[in-house]
């Protein structure tokens, strides 16, 4: 009997440790990325960037060729997090009401009832966003910036986990409408998936030979754990020196030769928040210069507008950001 009192506290302590581990932000991130990696092969860098944007409360623009897994990645994220998901196929005839919703007259009580559109979800895939008219594209502006939409004089809040993944094809511009600078600035990051390596592509063939991997993906974290992950990102420390470093990087884009319009203060905020997420994913409690440098191109390049002469001479926004990273001194 003398052994029993010793076993029970040990079991309680062990279960407490397991509970604490399951709620660890780093473990939450690792579970999600492992789940996504089972479906989207060979895209570890893209998954890390996507998760950094989501965990920091930003939105993502995926600019890549067809068939690289953009839609699959968005669906897999929603299923892994057990969040609601909506997909909008942007076309030239798409109207703002097709995105936001519409008021329909109800003859029973002689009043209009608002029927919410697909934007009222948690993860929204805006597929081929540049194929819709600017009027339809602008329906996303307020939603992405303020997590609300204004319709017929009324404001409707969106879900606190509202996250937009927009896609566009970088080579087919016939019948497309380039996103205006104001909307590009709403995206925390723009990046590409790219083609996977030979072995990863063979693995894709193997997994799709007899089944569809999307049918087997299960939720790996709870909603509370997703919220915990976001709160943990906000708690990651960033020194005053690194804040000044971020501002110097962003302000340099406004003075760089050949740049007609540099990055805004919103870019500085995005770069700081995404860097905090990367630090958390690396198991650190503070941001390092390497985290800022790792994500600077994805956060800043799409916000830069190159003047026509520099563009014709071959200047690209990604190269500009890389040059600025080499030019601005790194804090010691």
């Amino acid at each position: 009997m003398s052994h029993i009192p010793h076993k029970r506290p040990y079991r309680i302590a062990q279960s407490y440790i397991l509970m604490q581990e399951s709620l660890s932000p780093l473990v939450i991130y690792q579970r999600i990325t492992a789940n996504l990696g089972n479906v989207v092969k060979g895209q570890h860098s893209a998954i890390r960037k996507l998760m950094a944007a989501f965990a920091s409360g930003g939105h993502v623009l995926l600019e890549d060729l067809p068939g690289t897994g953009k839609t699959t990645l968005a669906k897999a994220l929603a299923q892994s997090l057990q969040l609601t998901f909506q997909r909008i196929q942007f076309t030239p005839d798409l109207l703002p009401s097709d995105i936001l919703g519409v008021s329909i007259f109800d003859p029973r009580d002689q009043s209009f009832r608002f029927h919410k559109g697909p934007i009222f979800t948690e993860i929204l895939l805006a597929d081929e966003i540049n194929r819709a008219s600017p009027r339809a594209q602008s329906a996303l502006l307020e939603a992405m910036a303020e997590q609300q939409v204004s319709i017929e004089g009324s404001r409707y809040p969106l879900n606190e986990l509202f996250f937009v993944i927009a896609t566009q094809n970088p080579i087919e511009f016939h019948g497309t409408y380039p996103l205006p600078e104001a909307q590009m600035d709403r995206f925390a990051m723009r990046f590409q998936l790219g083609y996977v390596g030979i072995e990863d592509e063979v693995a894709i063939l193997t997994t799709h030979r007899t089944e569809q991997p999307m049918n087997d993906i299960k939720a790996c974290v709870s909603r509370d754990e997703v919220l915990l992950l976001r709160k943990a990102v906000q708690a990651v420390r960033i020194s005053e020196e690194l804040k000044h470093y971020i501002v110097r990087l962003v302000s340099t884009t406004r003075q760089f030769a050949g740049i007609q319009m540099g990055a805004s203060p919103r870019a500085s905020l995005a770069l700081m928040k995404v860097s905090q997420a990367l630090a958390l994913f690396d198991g650190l409690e503070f941001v390092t210069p390497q985290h800022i440098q790792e994500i600077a191109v994805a956060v800043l390049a799409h916000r830069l507008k190159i003047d026509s002469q520099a563009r014709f001479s071959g200047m690209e926004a990604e190269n500009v950001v890389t040059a600025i990273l080499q030019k601005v001194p790194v804090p010691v």
Side-chain angles (χ1 to χ4, degrees):
M1 296 297 295
S2 60
H3 298 289
I4 296 177
H6 296 288
K7 289 184 179 180
R8 188 178 178 187
Y10 171 76
R11 289 174 180 170
I12 293 175
Q14 187 179 43
S15 63
Y16 175 76
I17 291 172
L18 291 174
M19 180 181 68
Q20 288 295 98
E21 182 185 13
S22 67
L23 293 178
S24 163
L26 181 57
V27 173
I28 294 170
Y29 164 72
Q30 291 171 342
R31 286 182 183 176
I32 298 170
T33 54
N35 219 36
L36 295 177
N38 290 332
V39 178
V40 186
K41 303 290 185 181
Q43 297 290 0
H44 306 294
S45 176
I47 290 173
R48 177 176 166 90
K49 291 175 182 175
L50 182 74
M51 284 302 304
F54 174 78
S56 61
H59 304 286
V60 164
L61 177 61
L62 294 179
E63 189 177 81
D64 214 330
L65 301 170
T68 53
K70 301 184 293 295
T71 302
T72 300
L73 180 59
K75 289 182 178 180
L77 178 65
Q79 290 184 218
S80 296
L81 304 182
Q82 211 169 4
L83 300 179
T84 56
F85 173 80
Q86 290 285 351
R87 176 180 179 268
I88 304 175
Q89 182 64 51
F90 278 64
T91 56
D93 60 347
L94 189 74
L95 299 175
S97 58
D98 296 326
I99 300 172
L100 305 178
V102 64
S103 292
I104 299 177
F105 183 74
D106 189 343
R108 291 175 297 182
D109 55 8
Q110 299 292 301
S111 64
F112 284 90
R113 294 182 182 274
F114 178 66
H115 290 253
K116 294 181 177 180
I119 200 170
F120 291 90
T121 186
E122 290 168 320
I123 295 183
L124 176 68
L125 174 61
D127 213 357
E128 295 189 286
I129 189 173
N130 58 333
R131 296 201 175 277
S133 67
R135 183 184 177 193
Q137 293 173 2
S138 65
L140 288 175
L141 284 177
E142 181 184 11
M144 294 171 64
E146 303 176 29
Q147 285 194 313
Q148 67 173 25
V149 293
S150 298
I151 304 170
E152 299 174 354
S154 299
R155 293 184 178 180
Y156 298 88
L158 297 172
N159 191 280
E160 61 183 330
L161 293 174
F162 179 67
F163 179 53
V164 175
I165 302 175
T167 72
Q168 64 179 6
N169 189 331
I171 60 170
E172 292 182 4
F173 295 107
H174 181 70
T176 62
Y177 303 85
L179 296 178
E181 287 76 12
Q183 186 155 344
M184 291 292 283
D185 200 34
R186 259 62 172 192
F187 289 102
M189 283 194 284
R190 180 189 66 178
F191 59 91
Q192 298 79 33
L193 297 183
Y195 293 123
V196 298
I198 292 178
E199 294 303 321
D200 289 317
E201 192 162 349
V202 171
I204 292 173
L205 298 182
T206 302
T207 56
H208 281 76
R209 186 173 60 87
T210 56
E211 60 183 9
Q212 173 55 256
M214 281 297 300
N215 296 334
D216 297 328
I217 190 169
K218 306 294 182 183
C220 59
V221 294
S222 67
R223 182 186 180 85
D224 288 340
E225 289 172 329
V226 174
L227 293 171
L228 176 66
L229 180 65
R230 283 199 167 183
K231 290 180 180 178
V233 169
Q234 299 172 4
V236 174
R237 300 192 305 272
I238 179 167
S239 66
E240 292 298 316
E241 291 79 8
L242 288 185
K243 291 178 185 176
H244 280 84
Y245 179 53
I246 288 174
V247 172
R248 285 197 298 272
L249 290 173
V250 174
S251 62
T252 303
T253 65
R254 305 165 194 161
Q255 306 160 4
F256 202 89
I259 298 297
Q260 185 176 345
M261 186 187 73
S264 69
R266 186 183 283 121
S268 300
L269 284 170
L271 187 52
M272 179 186 71
K273 292 179 179 180
V274 173
S275 299
Q276 288 176 288
L278 293 179
L280 178 70
F281 298 165
D282 289 337
L284 300 176
E285 298 179 353
F286 53 88
V287 177
T288 69
Q290 288 71 33
H291 294 124
I292 298 171
Q293 295 165 348
E294 174 187 348
I295 209 66
V297 173
V299 173
L300 300 180
H302 66 283
R303 306 171 193 267
L304 307 184
K305 184 176 182 181
I306 302 174
D307 65 39
S308 56
Q309 185 175 357
R311 187 170 62 253
F312 291 143
S313 65
M315 177 181 285
E316 296 181 352
E318 289 79 5
N319 295 336
V320 170
V321 177
T322 301
I324 290 174
L325 287 171
Q326 296 172 351
K327 176 182 177 181
V328 176
V330 180
V332 294

